[in-house]
Amino acid sequence: MQAASLFTVWAITAGGEILRSWLLTATMCLMTLPLLVGLEGTLLAMMLFEPLRGLLRRGQYLIVDYTAQDPIHLLTPIVTFIALIALLRKERLNIFWATPLAKSVSILALIFFLEMFNPLQGSLFVGVSGALFMLVPIAWFYFGQSVNESFIRKALALVVILGILGSLYGVYQLVFGYPAFEQYWIDNTDFYSSIAVGHIHRALATFSSAEEWGRYAEVGAIVALGMALVGRRLIKRAGWALCAAALFVAILLSGQRTAVFGFIVGAVALILLGARNWRRAVARLALLLLPFVLVTVFVTPPSDDEMWSKDESETVSTILTHTQRGTLKPAEEESLQIRFENWGHLLTSVIPFRPLGAGLGTSQLGDLRENRDSELAPVDNFILVVALACGIPGALLFVWILSRATWLSVRLARSDDASSITPTHRIVAAIMPALILNSIFGLTFSIYSVAPIAWLLIGWISAETLRMRETPTREIITI
């Protein structure tokens, strides 16, 4: 402690790169130290850090100049690797095939690892940068196999709390503008043209992008709504309902239309999973579809000119107009048409000629920075990203894992043994369809703060399915 104190004083005096290096090292140590007690503490520490990574990344420019390479992105991967080693020492290699989905996920992780060295992507740096986005989060699947329901419940509640706190800062950015250090990052960053909406800049909250903010708030809103629906005490239900409303407003302010639809899908899944039988589920679905049909038919979305007519001071109204237009008439959005054109080109002219993939870093930020003359258009579809990076087999395997996990989660939430069903089962089952939608119209499984949560839930679903299957056998042996 004395040495650390002396080094801290020296780093503050020196400033610049030395101070940043010391702060990053101290942060990494704080996330790693809970491993001395158990895995769960380190997982919570990383979950606390990830939603703040974007703000901390921009905050470093108070003491250093802008650089395209940020060492802050290495902290969570290093801690994740250390935690995985600790888990392997405890559980041995059995974690790679212990549960129903473990073998498939392990094969996918192996494919990701091998694609790091694919020469078609250029240098190894591109493959390593792709691994930070795609391979590292898969480790959280194995963490999910090792935690219990109590931890999952705490983790989901933490997402709600951090989502609200981060969103409050996003509201500050919209109303009062970006602080100087964040504006400095915006002026210097590259490959983030989508930050502009009309004549204003989107808010990022404490996250690295508006998409990450919207996805994180979406997951938190589904969790909060689920807690409100299944709660027993009126005060708690009202509190969770307020949290859900606040996070839904945050989704609207993020300007992420896919997050709006993801929340709607999750909310519908929550309500349908609560039905006692399929007849009531159909009746609930009909009642839910009615207001959507009425809104679609009778509510006229704002025109694109209306958004561009607003000046730079009308930040909130510009974002809400953008969100409203894309939500009410998504098929008429020019950006959606461009997406379909890009996807059609990839499916017909790119992926068939690289059936085994072009490397894990393909279409990732490292690839764009190293291969600036690349003609590859933005993908905005994680399934196609996997197809580009790992080929058709890798994409099919990922789709199967995601579909299978969703099916297993629904079976857990609708188990014949009603006594084994908990609110956590129902909430997790509602999150999975939203993840599928976000994987088709977004990059959820490569977003810093959301991808680990997604893989954590899939790992827990797989382990919980195994526990459910073994329960009858154990009861017979006991009898």
Side-chain angles (χ1 to χ4, degrees), residues 190-461:
D190 51 356
F191 302 111
Y192 194 19
S193 57
S194 63
I195 194 175
V197 177
H199 298 294
I200 70 165
H201 285 149
R202 300 175 190 261
L204 306 178
T206 59
F207 301 89
S208 297
S209 66
E211 181 182 7
E212 183 178 9
W213 178 22
R215 297 295 188 274
Y216 198 90
E218 171 196 334
V219 174
I222 295 173
V223 173
L225 180 61
M227 293 293 189
L229 292 176
V230 302
R232 295 181 179 179
R233 297 180 60 183
L234 181 60
I235 296 179
K236 287 187 176 181
R237 296 182 67 176
W240 284 115
L242 288 175
C243 291
L247 287 170
F248 181 70
V249 172
I251 295 172
L252 298 179
L253 293 177
S254 71
Q256 294 296 312
R257 285 79 58 91
T258 303
V260 175
F261 288 110
F263 171 74
I264 293 173
V265 169
V268 171
L270 275 172
I271 295 172
L272 295 183
L273 288 170
R276 295 181 179 179
N277 52 57
W278 68 269
R279 294 184 182 85
R280 294 194 177 186
V282 171
R284 290 187 178 191
L285 181 61
L287 291 174
L288 290 171
L289 290 177
L290 181 59
F292 292 124
V293 173
L294 293 176
V295 169
T296 303
V297 172
F298 294 104
V299 178
T300 303
S303 64
D304 193 48
D305 294 335
E306 183 176 342
M307 182 184 70
W308 283 97
S309 65
K310 300 181 183 297
D311 58 39
E312 295 180 359
S313 63
E314 299 178 278
T315 53
V316 175
S317 59
T318 300
I319 288 293
L320 292 178
T321 300
H322 171 75
T323 306
Q324 183 182 1
R325 172 178 168 78
T327 303
L328 295 177
K329 298 291 183 181
E332 296 180 6
E333 281 288 283
E334 182 181 357
S335 59
L336 182 64
Q337 302 299 328
I338 294 175
R339 280 187 183 186
F340 287 154
E341 292 177 5
N342 292 339
W343 296 351
H345 172 70
L346 292 172
L347 290 172
T348 57
S349 303
V350 179
I351 295 175
F353 297 96
R354 295 179 176 179
L356 298 181
L360 196 62
T362 305
S363 79
Q364 300 290 351
L365 189 57
D367 183 27
L368 297 177
R369 285 175 172 164
E370 179 138 330
N371 304 315
R372 292 182 177 267
D373 57 344
S374 174
E375 298 180 356
L376 189 64
V379 181
D380 292 329
N381 181 315
F382 187 76
I383 296 174
L384 291 182
V385 167
V386 177
L388 283 170
C390 305
I392 298 174
L396 293 177
L397 181 58
F398 173 75
V399 171
W400 188 88
I401 292 171
L402 195 55
S403 304
R404 182 65 175 167
T406 303
W407 171 247
L408 292 177
S409 68
V410 172
R411 292 189 62 183
L412 289 172
R414 300 292 298 174
S415 173
D416 294 333
D417 184 8
S419 61
S420 64
I421 302 175
T422 66
T424 308
H425 290 122
R426 185 173 165 187
I427 293 171
V428 172
I431 293 174
M432 293 306 301
L435 292 179
I436 293 178
L437 178 67
N438 295 159
S439 297
I440 298 174
F441 294 96
L443 304 172
T444 297
F445 279 83
S446 59
I447 294 177
Y448 299 130
S449 59
V450 182
I453 297 173
W455 283 113
L456 179 76
L457 295 180
I458 293 175
W460 180 74
I461 290 168

Side-chain angles (χ1 to χ4, degrees), residues 87-242:
L87 182 63
L88 281 170
R89 289 186 61 186
K90 179 181 178 182
E91 304 291 341
R92 305 302 180 184
L93 297 178
N94 185 52
I95 64 172
F96 294 117
W97 56 78
T99 62
L101 292 174
K103 291 182 181 179
S104 300
V105 173
S106 299
I107 294 173
L108 182 66
L110 178 61
I111 294 174
F112 282 1
F113 177 77
L114 295 176
E115 289 291 347
M116 284 175 54
F117 307 97
N118 192 320
L120 296 179
Q121 66 192 340
S123 68
L124 181 61
F125 169 78
V126 177
V128 172
S129 66
L132 296 180
F133 288 98
M134 298 174 62
L135 179 59
V136 171
I138 291 185
W140 285 68
F141 170 87
Y142 303 108
F143 300 153
Q145 290 185 144
S146 305
V147 298
N148 55 30
E149 182 189 341
S150 176
F151 175 81
I152 294 295
R153 189 166 56 250
K154 293 176 184 177
L156 294 178
L158 184 63
V159 172
V160 175
I161 296 171
L162 295 178
I164 292 176
L165 294 178
S167 298
L168 290 175
Y169 186 68
V171 174
Y172 170 85
Q173 291 173 331
L174 279 176
V175 176
F176 299 103
Y178 284 97
F181 67 92
E182 292 190 298
Q183 188 61 49
Y184 173 76
W185 173 79
I186 293 173
D187 294 338
N188 287 275
T189 190
D190 51 356
F191 302 111
Y192 194 19
S193 57
S194 63
I195 194 175
V197 177
H199 298 294
I200 70 165
H201 285 149
R202 300 175 190 261
L204 306 178
T206 59
F207 301 89
S208 297
S209 66
E211 181 182 7
E212 183 178 9
W213 178 22
R215 297 295 188 274
Y216 198 90
E218 171 196 334
V219 174
I222 295 173
V223 173
L225 180 61
M227 293 293 189
L229 292 176
V230 302
R232 295 181 179 179
R233 297 180 60 183
L234 181 60
I235 296 179
K236 287 187 176 181
R237 296 182 67 176
W240 284 115
L242 288 175

